[in-house]
Amino acid sequence: ASSWTIQAESDGAGPEEDQTEAATENLLRQWRVALGDGDLAGCRGLYTALVDTAGVEAVASLGEQIEELADRVERSLREAFSSRVRAGDYAGGLAIGERICSLLPDRPVTAEFQRIRPYLLGRLSREASTSDQPLAASQ
């Protein structure tokens, strides 16, 4: 207890400030890793935690970084989705579309996917029924 008192008197920071600073530094380390990995969901969770720990003003630039990451993730998912659908992989396209919806719920790309989702489900259903017919015919 006496060492805390001496430290607090010498640098003006108490145990709470030290813990908050350490928690913020840890969150920022995790942020850098998540950002480097392109982990949009992870960055969003860490951003919320950083706002709670450090305050909105202190992490304002991180919001811009999330938007840039979201733009990159959206481009990547759009390309993967288009590629799968063009190749006739409707199940793969639907899986990517669901990922789009979970990662980018507030973006127009989600509404675009929701609009064409019934078409993809129909194509997948027709494909499945067509592949079942030859088996039934051969029996």
Side-chain angles (χ1 to χ4, degrees):
S2 63
S3 67
W4 280 112
T5 306
I6 293 167
Q7 181 181 1
E9 290 172 359
S10 66
D11 65 12
E16 292 85 22
E17 288 94 5
D18 289 343
Q19 289 176 345
T20 300
E21 190 174 311
T24 301
E25 285 301 317
N26 185 39
L27 289 169
L28 285 170
R29 273 192 295 278
Q30 292 176 41
W31 167 269
R32 287 188 288 276
V33 169
L35 190 63
D37 290 345
D39 180 1
L40 183 58
C43 283
R44 285 186 175 145
L46 289 163
Y47 178 80
T48 300
L50 282 161
V51 166
D52 291 345
T53 305
V56 176
E57 298 82 24
V59 296
S61 68
L62 302 183
E64 295 170 13
Q65 292 177 24
I66 285 178
E67 285 307 309
E68 291 169 4
L69 176 58
D71 291 344
R72 288 192 308 270
V73 167
E74 180 178 340
R75 277 192 301 276
S76 173
L77 289 173
R78 278 181 179 273
E79 289 171 12
F81 175 82
S82 296
S83 173
R84 294 270 165 64
V85 172
R86 277 194 304 272
D89 179 6
Y90 302 113
L94 285 163
I96 293 170
E98 295 303 325
R99 184 145 173 81
I100 287 170
C101 293
S102 70
L103 288 175
L104 306 164
D106 57 337
R107 291 192 168 218
V109 68
T110 296
E112 292 170 20
F113 170 71
Q114 292 298 347
R115 187 176 43 67
I116 63 172
R117 188 174 188 273
Y119 166 79
L120 295 173
L121 288 170
R123 293 293 301 250
L124 188 61
S125 176
R126 282 192 297 280
E127 204 174 73
S129 67
T130 305
S131 66
D132 288 345
Q133 286 177 354
L135 293 175
S138 65
Q139 292 178 359

